[in-house]
Amino acid sequence: MAGAGGEPVLVLGGGLMGLAVAHALARRGESVLVLSRRRSEAAGFVAAGMLAPHAEGLEGVMLELGRRSLERIPAWVADIEADAGLSCGRWRCGIVVPFASAAERDAYPTAGRGVPLDRAGLEREVAGIGPGWRAGVLFPQDGQIDNRRSLMRALEKACTALGVRFQEGSEVLGLDTATGRLDGVWTRTVQGQEQRIASRRAVLSGGAWSARLLPNLPVVPIKGQMLSLQGPREALRRVVFGPGTYLVPRRDGLLVVGATSEPEAGFSDGLTPQGQRQLQEGIEALLPAAVHWPPMERWWGFRPGTPDQAPLLGPSAIEGLWLATGHYRNGVLLAAITAELTSGLVTGAGTADRGLEELLRAFRWDRFEHWDPSAQTVASSIRRDPVAEGVG
Ligand code: GLY
């Protein structure tokens, strides 16, 4: 189903959220055009791919949204894999959160939703875990997707197979709202050509860059630095989610290590000695043997942060423009539910799950209606890593 005059739905941003929404729209029969400035910068390529509503200690409506998305992941992945003919690299490997004491463990917000571990249990689940950890929780229901090597490629191929079109290297300069609603967007190609693309329906999925198009949107970049090591295959069979550092083993032994959380860094490119030291110290504390594993890659990227660390979903203040951004630390987890919700809203089909529409209210942009961008409250509200603060 195409819009007025055969106009495509425009997806503004070709990262994980843009691809997931484009794919869901195409599955609902829409013609879709994805406008993307530079996909390689997308947080979807940078993240570790954890599916971790419980291990991340989410609470309240965020835990509810995360749990609902986790439930949808198997079917979402199956659809992508069927359309793409490629694996997404999903692994329900379980996540262990280690603590220095049983009291710390029992105070963790999601402790009651996992299996409590003592020191012997920790050693059983994570062979070679560092000596400083006396207790833990295993969340067998959490897991991971190999986002960098599999998911992003599979999603792009699934979109292409369903007829989604892409304009890579296209920067969206502005929204045409002259009639009081969305009528189109202005873009500039890498060759410097400016053009207007007409459409009365668009989804903003610009990740950390979303506020460049809507300056009142409370989304700021929260830089994260990461690295990877090549471990022996099966040396680690659970994700280990420590304070300030986590270890995500892929099935072939690659160990993805994340991540700093640097609200003050803005969009500053590059690795820093302090950030890399934090990760090295985290590896040593969590899994001492891994400090001897060969280094593979180091990289950084920008999470889209919001003042309450929750995404912006649903209609925007502009008629015809919907939001799918601000997913901060939980983009891979929340992509499935974001795609379902957003495609249901854009097409008018809604979702069969009425409770979900109710839950969506908690994530609408107007919870920040009185937010003052000049007060710079987003970055200062984002929790810094304990390790970066020298606490852990
Ligand atoms: N989800 C983990 C992170 O953003 O570092």
Side-chain angles (χ1 to χ4, degrees):
M1 186 204 326
E7 290 168 352
V9 180
L10 303 181
V11 174
L12 314 180
L16 171 57
M17 229 44 74
L19 292 178
V21 169
H23 176 244
L25 284 166
R27 279 198 141 240
R28 290 181 189 256
E30 292 284 350
S31 142
V32 185
L33 174 61
V34 179
L35 302 173
S36 168
R37 193 176 47 99
R38 200 175 307 133
R39 168 145 349 110
S40 57
E41 289 182 347
F45 282 116
V46 178
M50 281 183 291
L51 303 170
H54 307 97
E56 288 256 7
L58 300 184
E59 297 179 81
V61 286
M62 268 301 282
L63 179 60
E64 185 57 29
L65 191 72
R67 283 169 57 82
R68 284 173 183 244
S69 200
L70 188 65
E71 269 167 32
R72 284 162 165 78
I73 293 276
W76 180 66
V77 162
D79 284 348
I80 298 167
E81 292 183 343
D83 293 339
L86 290 174
S87 165
C88 292
R90 170 175 168 254
W91 184 13
R92 193 169 177 269
C93 58
I95 302 187
V96 170
V97 185
F99 298 91
S101 69
E104 274 184 30
R105 173 193 67 199
D106 297 341
Y108 202 61
T110 46
R113 295 180 185 267
V115 181
L117 303 172
D118 57 12
R119 174 70 204 177
L122 266 183
E123 286 174 2
R124 200 174 52 241
E125 296 298 336
V126 185
I129 191 164
W133 311 101
R134 311 304 309 167
V137 184
L138 166 64
F139 296 105
Q141 65 276 51
D142 286 0
Q144 59 162 300
I145 295 189
D146 193 342
N147 54 302
R148 270 166 80 75
R149 298 187 299 184
S150 303
L151 174 66
M152 292 295 279
R153 198 155 40 107
L155 252 178
E156 183 179 350
K157 184 138 186 265
C159 284
T160 307
L162 296 182
V164 172
R165 289 177 297 129
F166 291 88
Q167 272 190 23
E168 173 70 10
S170 245
E171 184 171 3
V172 181
L173 302 175
L175 305 171
D176 180 355
T177 57
T179 63
R181 56 151 299 132
L182 186 81
D183 281 312
V185 303
W186 284 283
T187 66
R188 184 171 44 217
T189 65
V190 269
Q191 291 83 22
Q193 280 171 324
E194 294 191 8
Q195 62 172 156
R196 179 181 177 280
I197 304 175
S199 178
R200 288 163 68 84
R201 293 180 300 165
V203 177
L204 176 59
S205 52
W209 294 267
S210 297
R212 292 198 174 163
L213 215 49
L214 286 183
N216 283 333
L217 214 59
V219 178
V220 297
I222 308 294
K223 182 175 176 178
Q225 300 183 43
M226 302 189 65
L227 59 84
S228 61
L229 309 170
Q230 185 61 52
R233 196 180 271 267
E234 305 210 347
L236 191 59
R237 295 194 50 81
R238 305 277 195 201
V239 171
V240 185
F241 187 82
T245 308
Y246 46 81
L247 312 178
V248 182
R250 304 298 193 209
R251 284 187 196 270
D252 61 359
L254 187 77
L255 186 71
V256 177
V257 181
T260 63
S261 190
E262 305 169 58
E264 285 81 26
F267 280 114
S268 65
D269 278 324
L271 303 168
T272 64
Q274 190 198 3
Q276 294 296 299
R277 204 175 320 120
Q278 172 189 327
L279 298 180
Q280 284 304 139
E281 287 170 6
I283 296 166
E284 198 164 349
L286 289 171
L287 196 67
V291 298
H292 304 296
W293 294 353
M296 299 297 285
E297 274 186 278
R298 295 176 193 273
W299 67 95
W300 72 92
F302 304 102
R303 308 172 183 86
T306 63
D308 59 4
Q309 304 175 25
L312 291 154
L313 304 174
S316 73
I318 298 169
E319 192 187 337
L321 180 71
W322 288 267
L323 303 174
T325 187
H327 293 77
Y328 185 41
R329 297 179 62 92
N330 299 292
V332 177
L333 169 67
L334 297 179
I337 204 156
T338 299
E340 179 183 324
L341 268 169
T342 310
S343 60
L345 289 169
V346 172
T347 57
T351 142
D353 181 347
R354 298 218 52 83
L356 190 55
E357 290 189 5
E358 189 57 35
L359 183 63
L360 176 64
R361 288 172 193 272
F363 300 100
R364 289 171 57 111
W365 72 274
D366 48 13
R367 70 189 190 273
F368 298 121
E369 202 162 10
H370 303 295
W371 181 72
D372 174 6
S374 63
Q376 307 248 320
T377 51
V378 178
S380 56
S381 72
I382 299 280
R383 148 178 89 79
R384 289 186 59 95
D385 287 319
V387 172
E389 294 288 346
V391 178

